[in-house]
Amino acid sequence: MSTEPILLMSPGKVLHRLGSARLTSLLPEGSVIFTSHDIDVERGQIADLKVFENYASNDEIPLLASVAIDQFCLDKIVILAEADILRAAELRRRHGIDGLQPQEAMYFRDKVLMKSRVAQTGIPVAAHRVVTTAMELVEAIDEVGYPCVVKPPHGRGSSGVEILADPEALIKYLRKGPFSDRGDTSRVIVEAFISGDQYRVDGICKDGEVQFCAVALYIGSHLDYLAGGYLGSIILPQDDPKSVEISSLAHRAIEEALPPYTGAFHLEAFWTNQGAVFSEVGARLGGGSISEEIEVSYGVNIAAESIRLQCDTSTSMDDYPQKRLAGQLHVSPHEGKLLCAPERLNHPSIVTSEIAAPGGEFSLMSHTNSEFARAVFEAESVEEAKITIEDLINEIDSTTEWLRDLEEEV
């Protein structure tokens, strides 16, 4: 067990949901936190806390982190989110710190490298090509057909992902200048559209070996969520045949295909007539309310366990059998002013929920992390969980009012 101080890098939302007492208990004395918002933590336990605007894209962060590592003799770099994977890897290289290094980290950020490595192990991966010009894009679509998916190789939170349904959608996409308008050569992944339910696997690995994972079914799509809809999920029974196969795919991808590391992982897959197909994986915690959802189902908080393992704190993940099913729902805001909203959601299955206070101004989301309402709930079956999601959506629709809604009615 390491007691040396560490650098913890994470968006504030993730740390806030851990709670002050639990977060404080996880940190060795003298640690430093880099985050996006001021958080509640025992200040006597830490040496410094720095809050940054535009956390995900602020390139000053690694410079100040490098200074902090030397100043406070920080022993490890602990991360939880996508934005910090490459930052932390470069800092480890520069300071000789153990953990995922830059070349290894790229396999979790560059989807081209990732899919190539995974496919080499025999895991099914959707047909795809990398293109850098409009003509190459047309040639790729001739191969994979319509509909197809276009996405940036290093995207996060579904930003920049589009479905091209037909030639008209292609022309509309090209008019935005995805290639030449940027003044350089930009890569785009063109991928065959997979018709089937989407699943996720969230868990913890240690030195590249999966210690724990949970499989969940998505309800709704990421793109609909970005467009103003909702995104939910339901954790499957661990003995469900689909859960077993998708969990096996995740074990193979993490343990056989990709560079070993210690921490949380978030993997997405599709279920087709031929079984599970790999989509992508991140060396980080899943977003939304995934940690809380898994804690309701299994009694383990994977955000906390990820921090413990990255700090070299010994822990066993064998003592967390599934207790019940659980689900979550996140609802995208409208573009406008929230005029009316309840203080809380009232469904009897809810374990925790949040909803924005009236008076706030909102815009449409650019990443899947800016919900205005969310809920985590328990369930006895997948079908019951689906009904709960429908009930929650109806409750939110009937109890909230937006300025834009009223203007449209007039």
Side-chain angles (χ1 to χ4, degrees):
M1 174 177 175
S2 173
T3 58
E4 298 299 319
I6 59 104
L7 171 61
L8 173 61
M9 306 174 73
S10 172
K13 182 188 293 187
V14 179
L15 303 181
H16 170 73
R17 290 179 183 174
L18 277 171
S20 176
R22 178 149 55 180
L23 176 59
T24 301
S25 72
L26 292 169
L27 299 176
E29 186 175 355
S31 294
V32 173
I33 300 175
F34 276 32
T35 187
S36 59
H37 300 88
D38 196 19
I39 57 172
D40 188 11
V41 63
E42 177 55 55
R43 295 304 176 97
Q45 181 74 6
I46 61 174
D48 196 12
L49 185 150
K50 291 190 180 298
V51 177
F52 298 89
E53 294 183 358
N54 305 315
Y55 182 83
S57 58
N58 189 333
D59 288 332
E60 183 187 21
I61 290 175
L63 304 184
L64 296 180
S66 182
V67 172
I69 289 169
D70 288 334
Q71 180 181 356
F72 298 104
C73 300
L74 304 178
D75 183 60
K76 296 187 181 301
I77 303 171
V78 174
I79 69 161
L80 298 172
E82 193 87 56
D84 293 311
I85 293 175
L86 294 181
R87 288 173 180 162
E90 181 61 23
L91 287 165
R92 293 188 190 105
R93 183 199 63 78
R94 181 179 180 87
H95 291 271
I97 295 175
D98 291 339
L100 208 57
Q101 302 296 309
Q103 278 190 312
E104 301 164 335
M106 285 303 297
Y107 284 95
F108 294 95
R109 290 294 292 123
D110 187 317
K111 294 178 176 62
V112 179
L113 292 174
M114 176 196 302
K115 291 173 184 287
S116 175
R117 181 74 78 93
V118 170
Q120 288 172 15
T121 67
I123 297 173
V125 175
H128 62 280
R129 270 190 57 183
V130 181
V131 300
T132 59
T133 69
M135 293 306 301
E136 288 180 356
L137 174 57
V138 171
E139 292 169 0
I141 293 176
D142 286 343
E143 290 182 15
V144 304
Y146 289 108
C148 63
V149 181
V150 289
K151 62 178 72 173
H154 301 87
R156 61 181 183 84
S158 297
S159 178
V161 179
E162 294 191 36
I163 295 175
L164 304 184
D166 49 39
E168 183 178 345
L170 168 64
I171 296 302
K172 185 177 179 180
Y173 175 72
L174 289 175
R175 284 174 178 166
K176 297 185 220 177
F179 304 110
S180 58
D181 188 52
R182 303 186 187 188
D184 58 9
T185 300
S186 299
R187 296 187 302 159
V188 171
I189 299 176
V190 185
E191 189 172 271
F193 179 83
I194 298 178
S195 178
D197 289 333
Q198 188 176 15
Y199 294 79
R200 49 157 242 260
V201 187
D202 293 274
I204 300 289
C205 58
K206 182 178 182 181
D207 298 326
E209 298 290 329
V210 175
Q211 306 291 298
F212 168 88
C213 70
V215 179
L217 166 68
Y218 278 118
I219 305 296
S221 76
H222 293 75
L223 295 184
D224 288 343
Y225 182 39
L226 279 176
Y230 67 88
L231 184 65
S233 63
I234 303 165
I235 293 184
L236 298 183
Q238 58 187 8
D239 58 355
D240 180 279
K242 290 182 180 178
S243 178
V244 171
E245 182 171 335
I246 294 168
S247 174
S248 175
L249 180 150
H251 275 75
R252 290 179 62 196
I254 295 293
E255 298 175 352
E256 301 176 20
L258 297 166
Y261 75 100
T262 295
F265 69 87
H266 173 75
L267 182 146
E268 295 182 352
F270 290 93
W271 187 268
T272 71
N273 293 334
Q274 288 74 45
V277 176
F278 175 88
S279 177
E280 59 186 66
V281 62
R284 45 86 175 181
L285 198 68
S289 304
I290 288 175
S291 289
E292 294 155 291
E293 183 188 25
I294 291 175
E295 190 165 16
V296 171
S297 184
Y298 285 89
V300 56
N301 187 288
I302 60 173
E305 294 304 325
S306 177
I307 294 174
R308 286 195 182 100
L309 280 177
Q310 290 181 76
C311 289
D312 276 347
T313 304
S314 60
T315 182
S316 171
M317 301 298 292
D318 298 329
D319 301 328
Y320 296 104
Q322 191 174 39
K323 301 185 296 182
R324 62 181 65 84
L325 302 190
Q328 64 168 322
L329 175 68
H330 283 231
V331 183
S332 175
H334 291 218
E335 187 169 20
K337 184 176 183 179
L338 180 61
L339 296 180
C340 178
E343 292 185 4
R344 65 183 63 85
L345 300 175
N346 294 309
H347 195 282
S349 297
I350 285 179
V351 176
T352 185
S353 69
E354 291 180 322
I355 189 164
E361 297 278 353
F362 293 84
S363 59
L364 294 180
M365 298 192 300
S366 59
H367 298 83
T368 54
N369 61 356
S370 303
E371 72 283 347
F372 91 98
R374 73 179 185 106
V376 179
F377 58 88
E378 58 185 15
E380 294 301 320
S381 69
V382 172
E383 289 307 313
E384 179 185 295
K386 290 180 179 179
I387 293 171
T388 296
I389 288 175
E390 291 180 3
D391 291 343
L392 287 169
I393 293 167
N394 290 333
E395 179 181 351
I396 292 169
D397 286 344
S398 64
T399 57
T400 58
E401 291 182 6
W402 297 81
L403 181 59
R404 194 198 69 165
D405 291 346
L406 297 178
E407 290 174 343
E408 287 179 352
E409 290 177 6
V410 174

